[in-house]
Amino acid sequence: MNIEYYIVLSIALFCIGIAGVLTRRNAIIIFMCIELMLNAVNLLLVAFSKMHHLKGVATNPNAGIDGQLFVFFIMVVAAAEVSVGLAIIVMMYRNVHSVDVNFLNRLKH
Amino acid sequence: MKNVLQLVWLIPLLPLIGFLINGLLRRQLSKALTGIIGSGVILGSFVISLLIFLQVKQGNTAVVDLFDFISVGKLSIPFSFQVDQLSSLFLLIITGVGFLIHVYSAAYMHEEEGHHFARYFSYLNLFVFSMLLLVLGSNYVIMFIGWEGVGLCSYLLIGYWFKNTDYNNAAKKAFVMNRIGDLGFLLAIFWIINKFGTVAYGDLFEQVAASAKTLDGTAAIVGITLLLFVGATGKSAQIPLYTWLPDAMAGPTPVSALIHAATMVTAGIYMIARSNILYTLAPFTQGIVAIIGLATALFAATIALKQNDIKKVLAYSTVSQLGYMFLGLGVGAYTGAVFHVMTHAFFKALLFLGAGSVIHAMHHEQDIRKMGGLKKYLPITHLTFLLGCIAIAGIPPFSGFFSKDEILAAAYGANKIYWIIGVITAGMTAFYMFRLYATTFLGKFRGEEHLHGHHPHESPAAMTIPLIVLAILSVIGGWVGIPEVLMPNAHSLEHFLDPIFAESGKYVHEFRPAHHLDHTTEYGLMGASVGIAVIAIFYALARFSKRPELGEPAGFGKVLANKWYVDELYNAIIVKPLQWLAKLLNGFVEKDVLDWTVNGIGRIINYSSRQVRLLQSGQVGSYVLLMVLGILAFFVIQFFVKK
């Protein structure tokens, strides 16, 4: 399959993610949108990795493998972020009974 | 014994130590101890000066190196002292007369509070220290340090009673006027460095003497000497920078004696006498010096005719006598000028201290119209003051006669008009001094109601003894310089100072032969000046002993009483425009331009930060939007700019 399809799909996913982050107020939805963006990036990384592997395998059997490695890193970091972020959101809900991010602007005072 | 000369550093060091002790411990020391320390250090300096003088008299001179002071590139200015005929003579005058003034001060200032008394003595010591540095330095830079030092000390002492605004203004006036002169001196030093690469007297004068013919009258020499003379006009109160000296009367009377007699104002004379070879090579400057000196002598004498403040008369008389000295320097009579410095130190210190004694007796009354008849109450002061008046009037064989005569004879040799004006001034000197004497000491006492019925009484011994010593010196002090015509080979001062002025003398002899005065002319000149002085004295005595002028002066007298309105003139053409300029700078430039700019910048930053603060809304959404926009901008830049 053509690499352009992957790129277009990835851009679409990323934009949906951005739009979600920008427009939604529910912290959990925002989280999900961030995950979506991360996954768009992952998708691109895997696609490019595959592409490079196919092109360079004749000279180097490990060609393009770094892209896939990055995907794992991103997943680990995202998991860690989610665990911290969700803990914060849970604490926030306990205190204010809401997960509306706009509610957080009281921190500026 | 020759190594006595090596001890010369002790001479200025002792007053410096006195200054430190009295200054730092002013609240601990008793008045008696302060007086003993303050006067004692000067006495110590005087003793060493005397020993050194005896050495120098035998022909031993030296340059004593103390330490490296400035050493930049090819220029090296060591901190060293020069002991020779000129400086040792000045050392004797400064420490000798200075010591007497110190002793006198201890009694005169006794009413002051303890720590102010000590402050006074520490300033006095510092003054002597600066003056000693000035005359001892072996180069112009050290002279300049002392030069600035005496300027500072005069400021401190004139403004000694600092709670009085008028006195403070007088102090400031002295300081500022001196600074104007100092600038000239400083420029001259730079010019000398630029032209000759050295400021040390020995080096410099050798260089100059060696190439005297090529240097004679060149712009550089004329410029340097003129600038030096600007310095001298400031310190020695010559036209146009003389108005500070009469105002300097605001300080305590012994200070006036110190400034006017032994230190400070003689600095200009010393400097020019020291630089005599330079001046000999600049006839143009010599002419200026002579004319300014003569003009000052006459001008100040006319003002002194009408002053009613006992100290003001003496102050203008100092200005006038300094004018004589500059006349002497200008016509090349360097010995005569230095001689007059010496005799003037004696009789002017005497007159000032005598005036102080009168003021002391009159409970700080200084107006001679409220005195009169003091002869009866102050016998010692009266007699010594009279001797001082005769000396300054130039009656033989008192000291003033010999020195004044020497200058006048030299002036006659140079230009007969100089002599005529000089003699007229001498007549005025005799007149105003005896007007002062007659109004103060003769006639009836006119101050009863002021003193609440108490009669004035003679001052304590600590004040009268210096008066007596100075009176003796005023009488016999001139005998070291008896002119050739009266007694051959009796002018020991001239022989003594010969080495200092030898080079310029040789040069004058070779290139500008003067007419030698024959003896008949000299007798005639003496007769004329003494005759005029005697007439003036008797006229003044007759005029003022019985009916002193009490009315307000009118007509021309009023102009004189108001000092030719020079202060008003300076006020109008210098002070007022400067104040106007200052007002403009303060009101417009400072407030409307500078303040506005500075505050404006502050206000802009203040305003913009208040606006930027609004971005910090706490809205997570807006933060994220900004982040995204930022990333987008980043991409755009990457895409368009980098390519």
Side-chain angles (χ1 to χ4, degrees):
Chain A
M1 246 203 296
N2 243 338
I3 191 78
E4 282 83 4
Y5 297 135
Y6 292 99
I7 294 175
V8 171
L9 176 63
S10 172
I11 290 174
L13 283 175
F14 197 86
C15 290
I16 292 168
I18 287 178
V21 169
L22 288 181
T23 52
R24 303 306 293 260
R25 290 158 68 181
N26 187 316
I28 295 180
I29 308 268
I30 290 175
F31 244 140
M32 286 162 62
C33 291
I34 291 173
E35 293 296 320
L36 205 56
M37 283 151 71
L38 286 171
N39 279 326
V41 174
N42 281 349
L43 176 64
L44 214 50
L45 279 169
V46 172
F48 282 135
S49 161
K50 186 79 181 163
M51 185 184 81
H52 284 296
H53 182 68
L54 285 177
K55 276 189 182 160
V57 73
T59 50
N60 178 11
N62 291 332
I65 204 154
D66 357 16
Q68 299 194 22
L69 269 174
F70 265 118
V71 172
F72 280 103
F73 276 119
I74 294 173
M75 280 174 148
V76 170
V77 171
E81 177 213 323
V82 164
S83 63
V84 174
L86 272 181
I88 293 173
I89 290 171
V90 169
M91 286 305 295
M92 182 180 135
Y93 185 76
R94 276 198 194 158
N95 282 315
V96 298
H97 295 286
S98 162
V99 286
D100 185 341
V101 286
N102 285 353
F103 207 69
L104 288 174
N105 67 6
R106 67 172 58 173
L107 274 177
K108 79 176 180 183
H109 296 300
Chain B
M1 271 305 273
K2 203 181 167 186
N3 51 12
V4 171
L5 294 186
Q6 299 299 319
L7 288 180
V8 65
W9 52 273
L10 270 173
I11 297 178
L13 186 67
L14 282 172
L16 185 65
I17 291 173
F19 157 69
L20 290 175
I21 294 177
N22 278 334
L24 294 175
L25 303 178
R26 63 185 180 282
R27 283 174 200 281
Q28 279 83 38
L29 293 177
S30 69
K31 277 190 198 175
L33 208 55
T34 302
I36 289 169
I37 293 170
S39 320
V41 288
I42 309 292
L43 182 63
S45 296
F46 177 66
V47 171
I48 302 169
S49 303
L50 206 59
L51 294 176
I52 284 179
F53 177 76
L54 293 176
Q55 284 297 307
V56 172
K57 209 162 181 284
Q58 292 167 13
N60 297 325
T61 59
V63 174
V64 181
D65 268 315
L66 294 179
F67 53 87
D68 260 353
F69 183 49
I70 296 175
S71 178
V72 192
K74 272 189 240 159
L75 179 71
S76 150
I77 303 172
F79 201 96
S80 53
F81 289 155
Q82 176 150 348
V83 193
D84 58 14
Q85 288 79 2
L86 189 62
S87 59
S88 72
L89 184 70
F90 268 85
L91 285 183
L92 279 187
I93 298 172
I94 296 163
T95 54
V97 178
F99 170 66
L100 294 173
I101 294 170
H102 274 70
V103 172
Y104 179 95
S105 293
Y108 188 84
M109 301 298 286
H110 208 74
E111 289 164 30
E112 292 294 319
E113 243 177 276
H115 67 278
H116 282 309
F117 185 76
R119 181 167 64 89
Y120 172 81
F121 264 92
S122 65
Y123 289 168
L124 224 51
N125 281 171
L126 188 64
F127 206 131
V128 175
F129 163 73
S130 307
M131 191 64 198
L132 290 171
L133 211 57
L134 194 160
V135 297
L136 271 175
S138 75
N139 57 56
Y140 281 109
V141 173
I142 297 177
M143 190 201 270
F144 188 71
I145 299 174
W147 191 269
E148 290 299 301
V150 289
L152 168 71
C153 293
S154 69
Y155 168 76
L156 291 173
L157 282 168
I158 294 166
Y160 170 72
W161 285 304
F162 55 80
K163 284 175 185 162
N164 184 322
T165 313
D166 286 346
Y167 293 1
N168 282 333
N169 286 340
K172 275 188 273 182
K173 190 173 180 183
F175 196 72
V176 170
M177 289 212 141
N178 268 294
R179 298 296 314 167
I180 299 171
D182 294 346
L183 179 67
F185 188 10
L186 201 56
L187 290 176
I189 294 177
F190 290 144
W191 201 337
I192 289 173
I193 292 176
N194 183 273
K195 175 104 177 111
F196 299 102
T198 178
V199 285
Y201 303 140
D203 238 19
L204 173 65
F205 298 152
E206 245 169 59
Q207 267 191 50
V208 172
S211 49
K213 255 203 216 151
T214 50
L215 280 172
D216 191 7
T218 55
I221 285 281
V222 172
I224 288 170
T225 46
L226 275 179
L227 285 172
L228 283 176
F229 181 58
V230 169
T233 56
K235 202 101 319 186
S236 295
Q238 296 297 294
I239 291 175
L241 297 177
Y242 72 94
T243 56
W244 68 269
L245 191 61
D247 281 28
M249 296 298 103
T253 311
V255 172
S256 311
L258 192 63
I259 294 180
H260 285 232
T263 62
M264 183 111 178
V265 296
T266 61
I269 319 286
Y270 170 78
M271 184 238 272
I272 294 183
R274 180 56 91 190
S275 327
N276 61 80
I277 180 76
L278 298 178
Y279 278 82
T280 304
L281 295 183
F284 176 74
T285 316
Q286 279 196 311
I288 303 257
V289 172
I291 289 168
I292 294 270
L294 196 59
T296 310
L298 180 68
F299 192 71
T302 58
I303 297 174
L305 294 176
K306 280 286 175 188
Q307 296 303 307
N308 286 322
D309 184 317
I310 185 166
K311 282 170 77 181
K312 283 269 165 75
V313 178
L314 295 177
Y316 280 104
S317 137
T318 304
V319 177
S320 174
Q321 296 301 312
L322 289 167
Y324 266 116
M325 297 173 208
F326 278 104
L327 171 63
L329 295 171
V331 298
Y334 299 114
T335 312
V338 173
F339 187 22
H340 201 52
V341 167
M342 186 182 105
T343 56
H344 179 258
F346 297 149
F347 56 69
K348 191 47 67 70
L350 167 64
L351 289 169
F352 262 112
L353 296 185
S357 177
V358 169
I359 294 167
H360 186 75
M362 296 291 295
H363 295 273
H364 302 288
E365 176 59 63
Q366 300 192 9
D367 192 332
I368 52 173
R369 287 171 299 187
K370 293 184 181 144
M371 295 175 185
L374 294 179
K375 183 180 173 183
K376 197 164 53 176
Y377 309 114
L378 307 170
I380 300 176
T381 308
H382 161 254
L383 184 67
T384 52
F385 198 87
L386 176 62
L387 293 175
C389 286
I390 300 176
I392 194 175
I395 303 298
F398 288 62
S399 62
F401 165 74
F402 296 104
S403 51
K404 205 182 274 186
D405 177 69
E406 193 170 335
I407 291 174
L408 285 175
Y412 185 84
N415 188 335
K416 308 228 169 8
I417 297 170
Y418 289 175
W419 181 81
I420 294 170
I421 299 175
V423 169
I424 293 172
T425 309
M428 284 193 204
T429 308
F431 178 78
Y432 65 69
M433 282 318 297
F434 276 86
R435 167 180 177 265
L436 180 69
Y437 166 76
T439 324
T440 309
F441 290 101
L442 303 182
K444 268 211 326 245
F445 186 54
R446 295 183 295 274
E448 240 93 21
E449 76 285 356
H450 181 73
L451 293 175
H452 314 292
H454 295 294
H455 284 303
H457 53 85
E458 186 58 280
S459 306
M463 286 165 71
T464 50
I465 290 171
L467 286 179
I468 294 168
V469 176
L470 284 170
I472 294 170
L473 286 171
S474 301
V475 176
I476 65 168
W479 299 353
V480 297
I482 298 172
E484 197 76 17
V485 55
L486 294 181
M487 200 190 287
N489 278 329
H491 204 318
S492 48
L493 189 73
E494 192 172 347
H495 300 308
F496 178 66
L497 287 174
D498 248 354
I500 302 288
F501 305 124
E503 277 298 336
S504 38
K506 212 157 58 188
Y507 191 76
V508 169
H509 193 70
E510 237 172 284
F511 294 95
R512 304 199 182 94
H515 325 283
H516 198 70
L517 300 180
D518 58 57
H519 285 187
T520 342
T521 325
E522 275 197 57
Y523 278 122
L525 297 181
M526 275 182 212
S529 60
V530 172
I532 289 177
V534 169
I535 293 168
I537 289 171
F538 281 105
Y539 177 63
L541 286 177
R543 167 85 177 72
F544 293 106
S545 57
K546 289 288 180 290
R547 45 180 188 97
E549 42 176 1
L550 291 168
E552 283 300 310
F556 188 58
K558 199 169 170 205
V559 176
L560 293 184
N562 283 302
K563 310 149 198 167
W564 292 95
Y565 297 103
V566 170
D567 274 319
E568 284 77 3
L569 180 73
Y570 282 1
N571 218 18
I573 62 170
I574 296 170
V575 178
K576 281 276 157 61
L578 276 178
Q579 278 176 343
W580 180 81
L581 184 68
K583 219 168 168 182
L584 180 80
L585 288 176
N586 181 36
F588 176 69
V589 177
E590 171 82 16
K591 291 224 172 68
D592 291 349
V593 178
L594 290 179
D595 280 9
W596 190 85
T597 313
V598 172
N599 291 341
I601 291 172
R603 229 174 291 139
I604 289 170
I605 288 171
N606 213 334
Y607 173 80
S608 53
S609 44
R610 221 174 308 133
Q611 300 309 311
V612 172
R613 194 178 65 107
L614 295 180
L615 292 175
Q616 196 85 358
S617 63
Q619 301 289 335
V620 178
S622 63
Y623 295 167
V624 177
L625 180 63
L626 282 177
M627 259 164 72
V628 171
L629 289 179
I631 292 166
L632 270 181
F634 214 70
F635 278 125
V636 169
I637 291 169
Q638 280 274 13
F639 195 75
F640 288 106
V641 180
K642 260 242 170 131
K643 275 214 176 136

